């Protein structure tokens, strides 16, 4: 069903899923015990209605087709699996290690690249909040 869409629309669908998923997980502090797929899907629907250009490019009859919804559900699962399986980069792990040394807060666990980005942002915000300057510049990747 999704195969019939233009490559740009297919990429936009994947990007909207990724963006909404990361925003949702950030909003719950990447707490897997709190994560709820129904809540994520609601957040994703909100995101596509407000921000996704692809949504207006899909014909209404297709949007109402149960097979299209099944294909989207499969695409959501594939995209989330891909996000969760992307290992953090060496640069991210080094940056987190350095930031955790500078911030006297608990050590954060992270298991994927997207969660590592969240941890880095959170630690950087903690540094700013405590008015601590980074000891070493850390390169982002």
């Amino acid at each position: 069903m999704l195969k019939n869409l233009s490559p740009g629309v297919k990429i936009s669908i994947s990007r909207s899923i990724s963006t909404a998923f990361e925003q949702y997980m950030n909003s719950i502090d990447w707490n897997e015990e709190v994560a709820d797929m129904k809540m994520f899907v609601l957040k994703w629907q909100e995101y596509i209605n407000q921000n996704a250009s692809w949504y207006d490019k899909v014909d209404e009859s297709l949007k109402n087709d149960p097979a299209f919804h099944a294909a989207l559900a499969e695409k959501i699962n594939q995209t989330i699996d891909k996000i969760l399986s992307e290992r953090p980069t060496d640069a991210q792990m080094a940056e987190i290690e350095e930031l955790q040394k500078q911030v006297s807060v608990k050590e954060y666990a992270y298991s994927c690249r997207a969660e590592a980005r969240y941890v880095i942002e959170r630690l950087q915000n903690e540094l700013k909040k405590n008015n601590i300057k980074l000891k070493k510049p850390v390169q982002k990747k």
Side-chain angles (χ1 to χ4, degrees):
M1 177 75 44
L2 296 179
K3 291 182 235 171
N4 299 333
L5 298 173
S6 73
V9 170
K10 290 188 277 189
I11 289 169
S12 293
I13 289 171
S14 295
R15 192 173 300 128
S16 71
I17 295 166
S18 297
T19 300
F21 181 71
E22 287 185 39
Q23 288 175 352
Y24 171 69
M25 292 303 290
N26 289 351
S27 75
I28 62 167
D29 296 324
W30 281 83
N31 184 340
E32 295 168 18
E33 293 175 17
V34 176
D36 179 347
M37 278 303 287
K38 288 181 184 176
M39 283 303 299
F40 160 68
V41 170
L42 289 173
K43 294 290 185 185
W44 179 62
Q45 288 173 334
E46 184 179 299
Y47 178 86
I48 62 175
N49 284 319
Q50 295 175 359
N51 303 306
S53 61
W54 69 265
Y55 194 68
D56 293 334
K57 295 176 184 172
V58 175
D59 186 76
E60 287 299 318
S61 63
L62 185 59
K63 289 179 193 174
N64 295 323
D65 187 335
F68 180 68
H69 289 270
L72 282 177
E74 179 62 30
K75 186 65 174 171
I76 288 170
N77 289 335
Q78 290 172 351
T79 302
I80 290 173
D81 285 345
K82 181 179 177 188
I83 290 168
L84 296 176
S85 66
E86 288 180 323
R87 293 186 34 79
T89 65
D90 291 341
Q92 285 178 313
M93 291 187 286
E95 185 169 4
I96 289 169
E97 187 177 321
E98 183 60 37
L99 289 168
Q100 286 187 145
K101 287 178 188 175
Q102 296 175 54
V103 179
S104 58
V105 296
K106 70 176 187 170
E107 287 195 13
Y108 290 97
Y110 55 94
S111 60
C112 66
R113 195 171 293 177
E115 188 175 14
R117 278 193 300 272
Y118 168 77
V119 169
I120 289 167
E121 184 177 315
R122 189 162 180 168
L123 289 167
Q124 288 173 337
N125 287 338
E126 190 67 30
L127 282 173
K128 288 176 190 172
K129 185 174 94 176
N130 293 328
N131 204 20
I132 301 170
K133 297 219 188 275
L134 279 174
K135 291 179 184 171
K136 292 183 195 174
V138 181
Q139 294 182 354
K140 288 187 178 183
K141 282 200 175 185

Coordinates of all heavy atoms in Angstrom, one line a residue, residues 21-22 25-26 30 80-93 95-96 109-121 140-141:
F21 N 8.2 10.0 17.5 CA 8.6 9.0 18.5 C 9.7 9.6 19.4 O 9.5 9.4 20.6 CB 9.1 7.7 17.8 CG 9.5 6.7 18.8 CD1 8.6 6.0 19.5 CD2 10.9 6.4 19.0 CE1 8.9 5.0 20.4 CE2 11.3 5.4 19.9 CZ 10.3 4.7 20.6
E22 N 10.7 10.2 18.9 CA 11.7 10.8 19.7 C 11.1 11.9 20.6 O 11.4 12.0 21.8 CB 12.8 11.4 18.9 CG 13.7 10.2 18.3 CD 14.9 10.7 17.6 OE1 15.6 11.7 18.0 OE2 15.2 10.1 16.5
M25 N 9.2 10.1 23.4 CA 10.1 9.4 24.3 C 10.8 10.5 25.2 O 10.9 10.3 26.4 CB 11.1 8.5 23.6 CG 10.4 7.3 23.0 SD 9.5 6.2 24.2 CE 10.8 5.6 25.2
N26 N 11.2 11.6 24.6 CA 11.8 12.7 25.4 C 10.8 13.2 26.4 O 11.2 13.5 27.6 CB 12.2 13.8 24.5 CG 13.4 13.5 23.6 OD1 14.1 12.4 23.8 ND2 13.7 14.3 22.7
W30 N 12.3 9.0 28.4 CA 12.8 7.7 27.9 C 12.5 6.6 28.9 O 13.2 5.6 29.0 CB 14.2 7.7 27.4 CG 14.4 8.3 26.0 CD1 14.4 9.6 25.7 CD2 14.4 7.6 24.8 NE1 14.5 9.8 24.4 CE2 14.5 8.6 23.8 CE3 14.4 6.2 24.4 CZ2 14.5 8.2 22.4 CZ3 14.4 5.9 23.1 CH2 14.5 6.9 22.1
I80 N 10.3 2.4 14.5 CA 10.7 2.4 16.0 C 11.8 1.3 16.2 O 12.7 1.6 17.0 CB 9.4 2.1 16.8 CG1 8.5 3.4 16.8 CG2 9.8 1.8 18.3 CD1 7.2 3.2 17.5
D81 N 11.6 0.1 15.6 CA 12.7 -0.9 15.8 C 14.0 -0.4 15.3 O 15.0 -0.6 15.9 CB 12.3 -2.2 15.0 CG 11.2 -3.0 15.6 OD1 10.9 -2.7 16.8 OD2 10.6 -3.8 15.0
K82 N 14.0 0.3 14.2 CA 15.3 0.9 13.6 C 15.9 1.9 14.6 O 17.1 1.9 14.9 CB 15.0 1.5 12.3 CG 16.3 2.1 11.7 CD 16.0 2.7 10.3 CE 17.3 3.3 9.8 NZ 17.1 4.1 8.6
I83 N 15.0 2.8 15.1 CA 15.5 3.8 16.1 C 16.1 3.1 17.3 O 17.2 3.5 17.8 CB 14.4 4.7 16.5 CG1 14.0 5.6 15.4 CG2 14.8 5.6 17.7 CD1 12.7 6.4 15.6
L84 N 15.4 2.1 17.8 CA 15.9 1.5 19.1 C 17.1 0.6 18.9 O 17.8 0.3 19.8 CB 14.7 0.7 19.7 CG 13.5 1.5 20.2 CD1 12.4 0.6 20.7 CD2 13.9 2.5 21.2
S85 N 17.4 0.2 17.6 CA 18.5 -0.7 17.4 C 19.8 0.1 17.0 O 20.8 -0.5 16.8 CB 18.1 -1.7 16.3 OG 17.9 -1.1 15.1
E86 N 19.7 1.4 16.7 CA 20.8 2.2 16.4 C 21.7 2.4 17.6 O 21.3 3.2 18.5 CB 20.4 3.5 15.7 CG 19.9 3.3 14.3 CD 19.5 4.7 13.7 OE1 19.0 5.6 14.4 OE2 19.7 4.8 12.5
R87 N 22.8 1.8 17.6 CA 23.7 1.9 18.8 C 24.2 3.4 18.9 O 24.5 4.0 17.9 CB 24.9 1.0 18.7 CG 24.5 -0.5 18.8 CD 25.7 -1.5 18.9 NE 26.9 -1.0 19.5 CZ 27.1 -1.0 20.8 NH1 26.1 -1.4 21.6 NH2 28.2 -0.6 21.3
P88 N 24.4 3.8 20.1 CA 25.0 5.2 20.3 C 26.4 5.2 19.6 O 27.1 4.2 19.6 CB 25.2 5.3 21.8 CG 24.2 4.3 22.4 CD 24.2 3.2 21.4
T89 N 26.8 6.4 19.1 CA 28.1 6.5 18.5 C 29.2 6.6 19.6 O 28.9 6.9 20.7 CB 28.2 7.8 17.6 OG1 28.1 8.9 18.5 CG2 27.1 7.8 16.5
D90 N 30.4 6.3 19.2 CA 31.5 6.4 20.1 C 31.6 7.9 20.6 O 31.9 8.1 21.8 CB 32.8 6.0 19.4 CG 32.9 4.6 19.2 OD1 32.2 3.8 19.8 OD2 33.7 4.2 18.3
A91 N 31.3 8.8 19.7 CA 31.4 10.3 20.1 C 30.3 10.6 21.2 O 30.6 11.3 22.1 CB 31.2 11.1 18.9
Q92 N 29.1 10.0 21.0 CA 28.1 10.2 22.0 C 28.4 9.6 23.3 O 28.3 10.3 24.4 CB 26.7 9.6 21.5 CG 26.0 10.4 20.4 CD 24.8 9.6 20.0 OE1 24.8 8.4 19.7 NE2 23.7 10.4 19.9
M93 N 29.0 8.4 23.3 CA 29.3 7.8 24.6 C 30.4 8.5 25.3 O 30.4 8.7 26.5 CB 29.7 6.3 24.3 CG 28.6 5.5 23.9 SD 28.9 3.7 23.7 CE 29.9 3.6 22.2
E95 N 31.0 11.8 24.9 CA 30.5 13.0 25.4 C 29.7 12.8 26.7 O 29.8 13.6 27.6 CB 29.6 13.7 24.3 CG 29.1 15.0 24.7 CD 28.4 15.8 23.6 OE1 28.3 15.3 22.5 OE2 28.1 17.0 23.8
I96 N 28.9 11.8 26.7 CA 28.1 11.5 27.9 C 29.0 11.2 29.1 O 28.8 11.7 30.2 CB 27.1 10.3 27.7 CG1 26.0 10.7 26.7 CG2 26.5 9.8 29.0 CD1 25.1 9.6 26.2
A109 N 21.3 5.9 32.0 CA 21.4 4.7 31.2 C 20.9 5.1 29.8 O 19.9 5.9 29.7 CB 20.7 3.5 31.7
Y110 N 21.4 4.6 28.8 CA 20.9 4.8 27.4 C 21.3 3.6 26.6 O 22.3 3.0 26.8 CB 21.5 6.1 26.8 CG 23.0 6.2 26.8 CD1 23.7 5.8 25.7 CD2 23.7 6.5 28.0 CE1 25.1 5.8 25.7 CE2 25.1 6.6 28.0 CZ 25.8 6.2 26.9 OH 27.2 6.2 26.9
S111 N 20.4 3.3 25.6 CA 20.7 2.1 24.8 C 20.7 2.4 23.3 O 21.1 1.5 22.6 CB 19.7 1.1 25.2 OG 18.4 1.5 24.9
C112 N 20.3 3.5 22.9 CA 20.3 3.8 21.4 C 20.7 5.2 21.2 O 20.9 6.0 22.1 CB 18.9 3.5 20.8 SG 17.6 4.7 21.4
R113 N 21.0 5.5 19.9 CA 21.5 6.8 19.5 C 20.5 7.9 19.9 O 21.0 9.0 20.4 CB 21.7 6.8 18.0 CG 22.5 7.9 17.5 CD 22.9 7.7 16.0 NE 23.7 6.5 15.9 CZ 24.2 6.0 14.8 NH1 23.8 6.5 13.6 NH2 25.0 4.9 14.8
A114 N 19.2 7.7 19.7 CA 18.3 8.8 20.0 C 18.2 9.0 21.5 O 18.1 10.2 21.9 CB 16.9 8.4 19.5
E115 N 18.3 8.0 22.3 CA 18.3 8.2 23.7 C 19.5 8.8 24.2 O 19.5 9.7 25.1 CB 18.1 6.8 24.4 CG 17.9 7.0 25.9 CD 17.6 5.6 26.6 OE1 17.8 4.5 26.0 OE2 17.1 5.7 27.7
A116 N 20.7 8.5 23.5 CA 21.9 9.2 23.9 C 21.8 10.7 23.6 O 22.3 11.5 24.4 CB 23.1 8.5 23.1
R117 N 21.2 11.1 22.5 CA 21.0 12.5 22.2 C 20.2 13.2 23.3 O 20.6 14.3 23.7 CB 20.3 12.7 20.9 CG 21.1 12.6 19.6 CD 20.4 13.1 18.4 NE 19.2 12.4 18.0 CZ 19.2 11.3 17.3 NH1 20.3 10.8 16.8 NH2 18.0 10.7 17.0
Y118 N 19.2 12.5 23.8 CA 18.4 13.0 24.9 C 19.2 13.2 26.1 O 19.2 14.2 26.8 CB 17.2 12.1 25.1 CG 16.5 12.3 26.4 CD1 15.6 13.4 26.5 CD2 16.7 11.6 27.5 CE1 15.0 13.7 27.7 CE2 16.0 11.8 28.7 CZ 15.2 12.9 28.8 OH 14.5 13.2 30.0
V119 N 20.0 12.2 26.5 CA 20.9 12.2 27.7 C 21.9 13.4 27.6 O 22.1 14.1 28.5 CB 21.6 10.9 27.9 CG1 22.7 11.0 29.0 CG2 20.6 9.8 28.3
I120 N 22.5 13.5 26.4 CA 23.5 14.6 26.2 C 22.8 16.0 26.4 O 23.3 16.8 27.1 CB 24.1 14.5 24.8 CG1 25.0 13.3 24.7 CG2 24.8 15.8 24.4 CD1 25.5 13.0 23.3
E121 N 21.6 16.1 25.8 CA 20.9 17.4 26.0 C 20.5 17.6 27.4 O 20.7 18.7 28.0 CB 19.6 17.4 25.1 CG 18.9 18.7 25.1 CD 17.7 18.7 24.2 OE1 17.8 18.2 23.1 OE2 16.6 19.1 24.7
K140 N 30.2 17.2 18.3 CA 28.9 16.5 18.1 C 29.0 15.8 16.8 O 29.6 16.3 15.8 CB 27.7 17.5 18.1 CG 27.4 18.1 19.4 CD 26.1 18.9 19.3 CE 25.7 19.4 20.7 NZ 24.5 20.1 20.6
K141 N 28.3 14.7 16.7 CA 28.2 14.0 15.4 C 26.8 13.6 15.2 O 26.0 13.4 16.0 CB 29.0 12.7 15.5 CG 30.5 13.0 15.3 CD 31.2 11.8 14.8 CE 32.6 12.1 14.5 NZ 33.4 11.1 14.0

